[in-house]
């Protein structure tokens, strides 16, 4: 995924499914470096992780 698409997803009111390593995640924000994003798992756990945006896949 690229930074432009992540910005579009973040500004969208739609529920757009994104996966990281096969697991559904929410994107919290695009980090300043433009190459990583902060995400957390969908569901009750809200542990956040910084991941490379090229590892995120839109479903």
């Amino acid at each position: 995924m690229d930074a432009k698409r992540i910005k579009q997803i973040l500004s969208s009111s739609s529920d757009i499914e994104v996966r990281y390593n096969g697991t559904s995640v929410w994107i919290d924000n695009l980090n300043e470096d433009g190459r990583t994003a902060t995400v957390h798992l969908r569901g009750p756990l809200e542990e956040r992780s910084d991941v490379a945006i090229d590892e995120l896949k839109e479903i």
Side-chain angles (χ1 to χ4, degrees), residues 3-19:
K4 180 180 176 185
R5 182 61 185 141
I6 288 178
K7 289 178 185 177
Q8 291 171 342
I9 290 170
L10 287 170
S11 65
S12 174
S13 60
S14 300
D15 182 7
I16 300 168
E17 187 172 359
V18 175
R19 292 189 180 249

Side-chain angles (χ1 to χ4, degrees), residues 2 5 13 22 32 59:
D2 63 20
R5 182 61 185 141
S13 60
E32 289 183 20
I59 303 301

Side-chain angles (χ1 to χ4, degrees), residues 1-3 6 18-23 25-27 29-31 33-39 48-58:
M1 190 173 297
D2 63 20
I6 288 178
V18 175
R19 292 189 180 249
Y20 172 69
N21 287 339
T23 303
V25 296
W26 290 107
I27 301 173
N29 67 291
L30 178 64
N31 296 330
D33 62 14
R35 296 187 319 266
T36 61
T38 302
V39 302
R48 287 171 168 65
S49 301
D50 289 337
V51 300
I53 63 173
D54 60 359
E55 294 181 32
L56 297 173
K57 306 291 182 222
E58 184 175 351

